Amino acid sequence: QDNRISIWSAGDVGNVGLNGEYQGEPQLLCDIRHNGDVMDMQFLDQERIVVASSTGTVTVFRHHQNNQTLSANQRWEKAHYHVDQDTSCGGAACTGVICNNPEIVTVGEDGRINLFRADQKDAVRTIDNADSSTLHAVTFLRTTEILTVNSIGQLKIWDLRQQRNEPSQIFSLTGDRVPLHCVDRHPNQQHIVATGGQDGMLSIWDIRQGTMPVSLLNAHEAEMWEVHFHPSNPDHLFTCSEDGSLWHWDTSTDISEKPSFLHQGGRSTTYFSHNTINQSVVSAWLSNDPTKDRMEITNLIPNQTLSVNSLDILGPCLVYGTDAEAIYVNRQLFA
Amino acid sequence: VVPGADPSARQLCFAWGPAEVLVCETLFGRRGGFPSRREGGPGRAFLPGTLTACVAGTGEGGPSSSRLFVVRKDQDIYIQTLRKLFNESHGIFIGLQRSEEELAGKSRKAQLVQVSKNYRSVIRACMEDMHQAAILTRDPALHSQYSTQVSVLSAMELIWNLCEILFVEAAAAGPLLLRLLDWVRLHVCDVDNMVHEVLSSENPSKHELFWNVVDVFVLQGRMDEARHLLSKEASANPTLVNMYKILDDLMKKMPVPSLGNTQTLTEMELKWQHWHEECQRYLQDGTFASNSHMESICKILLGDEDAILEKKDLMTTWYHFLVTRLLYSHPTVKPMELRMDLFLGGESSPEPLDTILMAAFEFEMHQVIKECSIALSNWWFVAHLTDLLDHCKLLQSHNLYFGSNMREFLLLEYASGLFSHHSLWQLGVDYFDHCPEYGRVYLELHIERIPLNTEQKALKVLRICEQRQMHEQVRSICKIMAMKALRNNRLGSALSWSIRAKDAAFATLISDRFLKDYCESGCFSDLDLIDNLGPSMLLSDRLTFLGKYREFHRLYGEKRFSEAAKLLLMLMTAHIAPCSFWMTLLTDALPLLEQKEVIFSAEQTYELMRCLEDLTAGKSDKQKFQDDDIETMKVEMLRLALARNLARVIVKEGTLEGS
């Protein structure tokens, strides 16, 4: 197998054509070999990227912008492993990585949570057997707390300041324990968490209250691989799935004093009939009356064929990759 | 041919794997050595499910190392630059299968032509990439490999383009000729360099290649460009003005089949006849006698074979000759008999490309496909082309003797090749889906043999199986993953896999493992899992027991004794607990019996006693004899505790309240 980490340039911002499409294809700047499948990756800072591998190794790559090369900066071999008699294949896939410079947290199929610090050779902390099942994803809740999701449908909060190897809180789905594959936290309101499950269901949780999700939204027809709140526009949420679709969930609304029936026609979007006074306090995501508050959901992929495995958003740009070995860049997301 | 394997030196044995064949040298059977199991070292490529032992004789000849060969069926899929071809064409293929069949006539044809053009543009894009790669690489072997690939791809595009013109578009005779001319101009001549050279020179008409360029333009039917060049010559050479004017006029008046149907076939024929006669007259009059170049041009206009053949070197290929002849002999008539012998002169035998193109010109579709299959190393081309032709309803259902038709056969072969790749197998799934007869069977067999090295890959495979109701495969894959998890001590993962497969037997296995761990260590491992089983608890009885038993422990820990007691009793009386565990449960009842407060009611105590008696009665005498002291002591203690409890509870229940 020949897997590579590649850096691409998606063109200049000013290079936009008439209908808003980007001009030209993304250009490959540099790449480097990677051992094993890339399960997850994240930018640590402007130059460094942390990559999680299916062999259980976590690597930090540095992108040298002056001569456009990549080099392996640091590596933690066997960050994730199974205890196996035949140690020749003892590595366990590292399934998720999250960074908060300089800290790096990784989780894997071995149910282990590792806390690394960039430039430190050994792990700062390791929680062995944190979970009896596979941990699929991890994200930071606060600077000292992390959220993990696993394959028996549980959302767990871990407090890294405490020395005990137990989660501080466990949330689980009602009904069947469908595995959860991805998790993301609202950028501004830290009690709102979104998770995606194996059945394609999007769950919104309020971790201040209860152990069950606030709302369950039937979304995709297959595993939801990634969920992301837009970092600067958190009324927008994006999910991608094995069924080949990428959905844009939009709960933003026209801030308007007029009651809804006075609005002019023309726009086909539905809007809230919420009282505007409450709007700033109650987030759109937490309102659990689906008939009153509607959101606009759009599938961004016209001809879906194979799975969309991963996506990311920044500003007006959306990038996603599919199993058809294609990367798509959309630079005019809110046009 | 496997390099290095010599059947005369060593005996070879082999085993089939999902993608490859493992060939290994062995001395077994030669010197009577005995086989020894050896695990694969890091240098060898082992696949799950295939031969994992290397047989090495250690007989009299002393130990000798054996070598292992991994033989692959389809090398092309591993070429990095071709991956784009496979992926993009997959998208086009799916689009074609999903496109509406209801569109009839012209719109359907236009749609199919568009699909064909899409395929061709993918081939060209791939050719570009390959060309770039060839330029950038420094390794000469790689460079030659890439260059060969580029020429193969360009040949494929050439053939496909011709098939598109002749079969898919299948225009009427006039427009057909125009398409063929385009085809020739695009693919055949490398005249652009020559043209550029002449045009950019200071005095084009004095350039030595000037007449070559004019001839090429005429041969390719590019009249306007030829006339433009001739005008330069005329202006430079005033003595030729008259001749030039006549020739120019002839060329201008040449009837060309128009794309729009503004004239009927007979009209066109009449015009052409008339023009032909005019050219004939001028030639016979000797108008061009003084200038051999112009004379030969006139002869070409008349379709004189010899004159055209004289320009053999300019045309470079026989199909150019064919098209030119068509243009000038009778442009409204379908392709005539091929006179390739005239062109080649009989020395060289036709290349594979030539035979394919010949078959195409003779409208022998099946022959084209057959020749391509032989010539090309990979099924990609024939599979997609045949599928397209099938959609054009051009292939008769030509049943091959093993039941499926040609299209299906080729698609199956292509997709099977894809399955041997660690990542392109996903494309193969869709191809199998569109093979109505054998696709499903092939898919069922192939999908179980994909190596699953991460959970995510397993999930993708499972999703594919579930969408197609392949329950057998779902069960088998989940079992494999669950066993792997179990071996790695990931009980939660194992349970989650058995829940997905709704595999009760495996859930029982996992619960037994938990219970065993509990008995040995005295406490539960993985409480986060057992405490949160939820409805999945009902998957198997043993699992339900496990959940409930843990609940009992929790209740006890929270000092909710009467509830705990009730639960404990229920576990035994409702036969949720396995008999082997009853002793443990009864022992757990001891502390409850010994509490200051009476917990078990009389009824419950009687039940417990009955359980104990059932348990001891069930044991045979021999077992009782083998029971060690601890066992007998336990039973004794239980009996005593039960009796004491009974005594206390009878008194308590018999006492009137408040009196």
Side-chain angles (χ1 to χ4, degrees):
Chain A
Q1 288 189 26
D2 185 27
N3 296 318
R4 313 188 83 88
I5 303 283
S6 319
I7 305 238
W8 302 75
S9 153
D12 305 318
V13 180
N15 211 5
V16 172
L18 282 172
N19 50 356
E21 308 251 307
Y22 58 87
Q23 298 283 44
E25 296 189 356
Q27 300 297 318
L28 177 65
L29 294 177
C30 48
D31 62 7
I32 191 169
R33 267 203 115 117
H34 181 257
N35 201 13
D37 296 339
V38 174
M39 306 295 292
D40 198 5
M41 63 181 173
Q42 228 199 0
F43 273 96
L44 179 62
D45 54 26
Q46 284 279 42
E47 290 188 337
R48 289 181 291 180
I49 307 156
V50 185
V51 179
S53 164
S54 62
T55 58
T57 304
V58 179
T59 320
V60 180
F61 289 98
R62 187 182 283 277
H63 175 215
H64 305 274
Q65 277 163 0
N66 47 356
N67 60 348
Q68 288 302 348
T69 52
L70 275 169
S71 62
N73 195 5
Q74 193 169 7
R75 181 170 277 141
W76 292 286
E77 306 254 351
K78 293 238 165 186
H80 293 275
Y81 55 94
H82 290 303
V83 177
D84 198 359
Q85 266 71 49
D86 320 343
T87 48
S88 54
C89 44
C94 175
T95 49
V97 69
I98 193 83
C99 307
N100 188 6
N101 206 357
E103 293 184 330
I104 301 167
V105 180
T106 69
V107 293
E109 279 181 17
D110 55 352
R112 181 172 275 116
I113 301 177
N114 285 318
L115 173 61
F116 296 106
R117 212 179 204 92
D119 305 326
Q120 269 188 24
K121 190 160 154 302
D122 296 317
V124 170
R125 180 147 173 224
T126 301
I127 305 176
D128 285 322
N129 216 8
D131 202 308
S132 60
S133 64
T134 302
L135 287 166
H136 283 294
V138 63
T139 190
F140 272 102
L141 180 62
R142 287 175 245 279
T143 41
T144 51
E145 289 185 334
I146 53 170
L147 284 164
T148 60
V149 287
N150 65 11
S151 58
I152 40 177
Q154 293 172 328
L155 173 68
K156 295 184 183 174
I157 303 182
W158 302 82
D159 189 344
L160 297 172
R161 287 169 302 192
Q162 295 186 8
Q163 277 313 307
R164 64 186 189 136
N165 290 348
E166 299 278 323
S168 49
Q169 229 178 330
I170 301 181
F171 301 85
S172 36
L173 295 167
T174 49
D176 284 327
R177 300 288 189 251
V178 176
L180 293 172
H181 283 290
C182 49
V183 63
D184 197 20
R185 190 209 73 201
H186 194 286
N188 308 329
Q189 299 174 300
Q190 292 177 343
H191 52 271
I192 301 179
V193 172
T195 61
Q198 202 170 82
D199 52 359
M201 188 102 79
L202 172 69
S203 318
I204 311 280
W205 312 68
D206 181 349
I207 57 173
R208 294 172 307 192
Q209 36 181 275
T211 54
M212 295 189 315
V214 165
S215 52
L216 296 166
L217 301 156
N218 231 330
H220 298 280
E221 291 161 9
E223 286 84 352
M224 187 189 297
W225 293 123
E226 290 204 11
V227 61
H228 287 277
F229 280 99
H230 192 289
S232 43
N233 233 338
D235 284 335
H236 298 264
L237 182 80
F238 295 85
T239 59
C240 67
S241 158
E242 175 73 19
D243 68 2
S245 59
L246 196 159
W247 289 22
H248 171 192
W249 307 69
D250 184 356
T251 58
S252 61
T253 172
D254 281 286
I255 309 292
S256 160
E257 302 291 354
K258 293 182 247 171
S260 48
F261 62 85
L262 283 182
H263 268 286
Q264 300 305 314
R267 280 196 61 169
S268 60
T269 51
T270 51
Y271 19 74
F272 289 102
S273 46
H274 235 17
N275 193 326
T276 44
I277 300 169
N278 285 336
Q279 202 132 17
S280 50
V281 177
V282 176
S283 166
W285 295 109
L286 289 184
S287 48
N288 39 14
D289 189 347
T291 53
K292 221 167 61 156
D293 313 307
R294 302 208 213 110
M295 61 177 98
E296 199 180 318
I297 307 170
T298 4
N299 182 1
L300 296 177
I301 302 181
N303 311 319
Q304 54 196 61
T305 46
L306 293 179
S307 159
V308 180
N309 290 323
S310 178
L311 72 98
D312 206 358
I313 11 165
L314 190 66
C317 299
L318 167 75
V319 59
Y320 61 93
T322 68
D323 263 342
E325 304 188 6
I327 306 173
Y328 296 83
V329 179
N330 182 345
R331 317 264 297 291
Q332 300 273 306
L333 201 49
F334 298 113
Chain B
V1 176
V2 181
D6 185 5
S8 55
R10 303 284 201 101
Q11 189 140 20
L12 294 175
C13 71
F14 57 90
W16 290 98
E20 299 144 344
V21 178
L22 212 58
V23 176
C24 64
E25 298 174 345
T26 166
L27 296 172
F28 184 68
R30 270 286 169 98
R31 295 186 205 168
F34 48 88
S36 61
R37 266 194 94 84
R38 212 197 298 150
E39 289 298 326
R44 304 204 177 132
F46 279 111
L47 299 165
T50 60
L51 193 67
T52 50
C54 184
V55 178
T58 51
E60 307 88 81
S64 46
S65 63
S66 306
R67 286 178 303 169
L68 218 56
F69 302 95
V70 179
V71 180
R72 278 197 185 128
K73 188 170 75 155
D74 190 347
Q75 272 288 48
D76 283 353
I77 52 175
Y78 291 93
I79 298 177
Q80 192 64 21
T81 27
L82 281 182
R83 281 172 85 147
K84 186 187 204 166
L85 182 72
F86 298 129
N87 277 293
E88 297 277 324
S89 58
H90 165 259
I92 301 173
F93 176 84
I94 298 291
L96 176 60
Q97 311 306 310
R98 286 183 191 164
S99 69
E100 289 168 27
E101 291 277 351
E102 295 94 47
L103 295 177
K106 283 222 171 78
S107 40
R108 177 72 175 155
K109 183 178 274 194
Q111 203 178 39
L112 291 168
V113 171
Q114 187 55 43
V115 169
S116 180
K117 288 196 159 89
N118 288 342
Y119 274 122
R120 279 196 299 127
S121 70
V122 168
I123 300 177
R124 271 202 301 273
C126 212
M127 216 157 67
E128 269 301 313
D129 287 345
M130 196 77 84
H131 187 68
Q132 282 299 106
I135 293 174
L136 291 173
T137 185
R138 294 206 200 122
D139 177 9
L142 260 179
H143 178 89
S144 69
Q145 187 193 49
Y146 287 146
S147 308
T148 345
Q149 273 299 332
V150 170
S151 49
V152 168
L153 283 172
S154 84
M156 289 210 290
E157 211 254 316
L158 177 76
I159 301 168
W160 193 299
N161 200 347
L162 185 62
C163 290
E164 178 186 311
I165 295 171
L166 293 176
F167 305 138
V168 182
E169 209 175 344
L176 178 69
L177 183 62
L178 290 177
R179 291 272 185 273
L180 283 174
L181 281 173
D182 282 333
W183 178 70
V184 163
R185 287 170 205 167
L186 191 58
H187 284 111
V188 181
C189 275
D190 303 298
V191 286
D192 296 327
N193 285 340
M194 197 166 58
V195 169
H196 185 75
E197 213 184 295
V198 171
L199 285 178
S200 55
S201 71
E202 282 172 17
N203 211 341
S205 55
K206 293 288 175 276
H207 199 286
E208 54 175 359
L209 295 174
F210 174 77
W211 284 106
N212 283 359
V213 173
V214 176
D215 286 336
V216 163
F217 283 152
V218 171
L219 289 168
Q220 290 187 356
R222 288 149 87 170
M223 290 306 177
D224 292 333
E225 293 168 70
R227 285 172 50 219
H228 177 76
L229 265 188
L230 274 179
S231 68
K232 289 202 202 294
E233 163 77 354
S235 55
N237 211 336
T239 53
L240 299 173
V241 161
N242 273 334
M243 276 201 291
Y244 159 72
K245 273 215 188 113
I246 298 173
L247 191 60
D248 183 72
D249 193 52
L250 282 178
M251 286 164 78
K252 192 164 68 177
K253 280 201 288 195
M254 174 175 175
V256 180
S258 62
L259 276 175
N261 293 330
T262 53
Q263 54 185 357
T264 65
L265 217 55
T266 33
E267 262 180 45
M268 166 78 183
E269 284 202 21
L270 269 173
K271 274 197 205 163
W272 196 87
Q273 201 58 38
H274 189 80
W275 174 81
H276 192 93
E277 281 165 8
E278 197 178 335
C279 291
Q280 190 79 2
R281 242 182 312 125
Y282 278 117
L283 185 68
Q284 281 169 353
D285 281 347
T287 332
F288 303 109
S290 54
N291 189 319
S292 60
H293 291 292
M294 292 207 189
E295 192 176 41
S296 79
I297 290 176
C298 189
K299 283 191 185 158
I300 292 172
L301 289 181
L302 282 172
D304 183 7
E305 247 177 43
D306 296 319
I308 301 176
L309 264 179
E310 262 176 45
K311 310 290 172 189
K312 196 157 82 164
D313 297 324
L314 288 177
M315 293 191 289
T316 65
T317 55
W318 60 269
Y319 28 95
H320 188 333
F321 169 61
L322 174 73
V323 174
T324 307
R325 246 184 47 211
L326 270 180
L327 175 64
Y328 290 114
S329 30
H330 217 313
T332 57
V333 163
K334 288 261 187 227
M336 321 171 321
E337 83 251 349
L338 298 170
R339 298 299 302 278
M340 209 173 78
D341 48 321
L342 284 178
F343 191 87
L344 292 177
E347 321 107 12
S348 46
S349 55
E351 304 237 315
L353 179 60
D354 294 325
T355 31
I356 296 168
L357 292 174
M358 265 205 292
F361 276 116
E362 284 172 353
F363 286 84
E364 294 276 344
M365 249 175 288
H366 291 280
Q367 189 68 16
V368 171
I369 294 168
K370 181 170 148 207
E371 295 289 337
C372 287
S373 313
I374 298 171
L376 294 168
S377 60
N378 178 283
W379 295 105
W380 179 86
F381 183 81
V382 280
H384 288 87
L385 183 63
T386 314
D387 174 65
L388 179 62
L389 292 176
D390 189 65
H391 272 89
C392 300
K393 307 260 191 290
L394 290 172
L395 295 175
Q396 308 125 341
S397 50
H398 183 123
N399 270 347
L400 302 167
Y401 44 84
F402 37 83
S404 62
N405 62 14
M406 171 133 71
R407 167 189 172 269
E408 179 152 329
F409 170 72
L410 292 171
L411 285 175
L412 289 172
E413 285 295 313
Y414 172 63
S416 305
L418 284 177
F419 260 89
S420 55
H421 193 272
H422 59 88
S423 147
L424 289 174
W425 59 269
Q426 284 181 296
L427 306 177
V429 174
D430 284 314
Y431 286 101
F432 280 140
D433 278 345
H434 289 103
C435 293
E437 275 212 50
Y438 290 115
R440 193 185 163 90
V441 178
Y442 268 69
L443 182 60
E444 280 174 10
L445 290 173
H446 272 110
I447 205 132
E448 274 192 303
R449 286 160 176 79
I450 299 172
L452 303 171
N453 49 344
T454 60
E455 285 199 0
Q456 194 173 8
K457 200 164 175 185
L459 287 171
K460 284 182 186 273
V461 173
L462 273 177
R463 183 59 61 182
I464 290 171
C465 294
E466 278 174 5
Q467 279 170 347
R468 290 156 183 77
Q469 273 96 46
M470 294 180 171
H471 302 297
E472 269 300 317
Q473 281 69 29
V474 170
R475 263 200 300 274
S476 118
I477 291 169
C478 284
K479 247 203 187 68
I480 295 173
M481 296 307 292
M483 264 325 283
K484 259 200 229 169
L486 208 56
R487 248 188 273 134
N488 288 325
N489 235 1
R490 314 292 320 141
L491 292 173
S493 294
L495 186 62
S496 114
W497 288 110
S498 29
I499 290 174
R500 176 105 184 231
K502 300 203 194 357
D503 190 346
F506 214 90
T508 308
L509 195 78
I510 297 168
S511 323
D512 278 335
R513 180 74 172 261
F514 270 115
L515 290 169
K516 195 173 88 152
D517 285 347
Y518 168 74
C519 287
E520 284 170 10
S521 62
C523 63
F524 285 107
S525 60
D526 306 317
L527 280 176
D528 62 331
L529 170 65
I530 309 174
D531 277 343
N532 290 295
L533 280 173
S536 56
M537 205 193 295
L538 301 171
L539 184 60
S540 105
D541 285 342
R542 197 59 52 80
L543 197 58
T544 319
F545 168 64
L546 181 65
K548 291 287 174 196
Y549 189 48
R550 165 66 197 150
E551 202 183 318
F552 162 73
H553 278 271
R554 256 212 340 266
L555 289 170
Y556 188 93
E558 290 169 13
K559 301 215 186 310
R560 288 151 69 179
F561 293 130
S562 53
E563 288 172 58
K566 230 185 284 185
L567 182 56
L568 187 65
L569 197 55
M570 192 260 293
L571 285 176
M572 281 190 279
T573 51
H575 293 285
I576 299 178
C579 293
S580 51
F581 223 75
W582 278 21
M583 202 57 210
T584 320
L585 288 175
L586 286 167
T587 322
D588 284 330
L590 261 177
L592 288 172
L593 291 166
E594 299 292 340
Q595 290 278 342
K596 266 209 211 120
E597 202 191 313
V598 170
I599 299 166
F600 285 102
S601 72
E603 272 292 323
Q604 290 174 326
T605 318
Y606 281 128
E607 285 289 332
L608 279 173
M609 289 167 119
R610 192 174 58 78
C611 289
L612 181 60
E613 290 315 310
D614 280 343
L615 195 59
T616 48
K619 288 189 189 172
S620 67
D621 283 324
K622 190 164 162 227
Q623 270 181 309
K624 278 190 193 157
F625 193 68
Q626 283 176 340
D627 268 349
D628 55 0
D629 291 331
I630 299 178
E631 282 298 310
T632 37
M633 192 167 73
K634 264 199 226 168
V635 175
E636 290 293 323
M637 280 178 69
L638 270 169
R639 288 222 175 94
L640 188 59
L642 282 166
R644 280 214 288 260
N645 191 55
L646 192 58
R648 284 193 298 162
V649 81
I650 288 175
V651 169
K652 178 179 167 212
E653 282 176 8
T655 311
L656 288 170
E657 297 284 308
S659 63

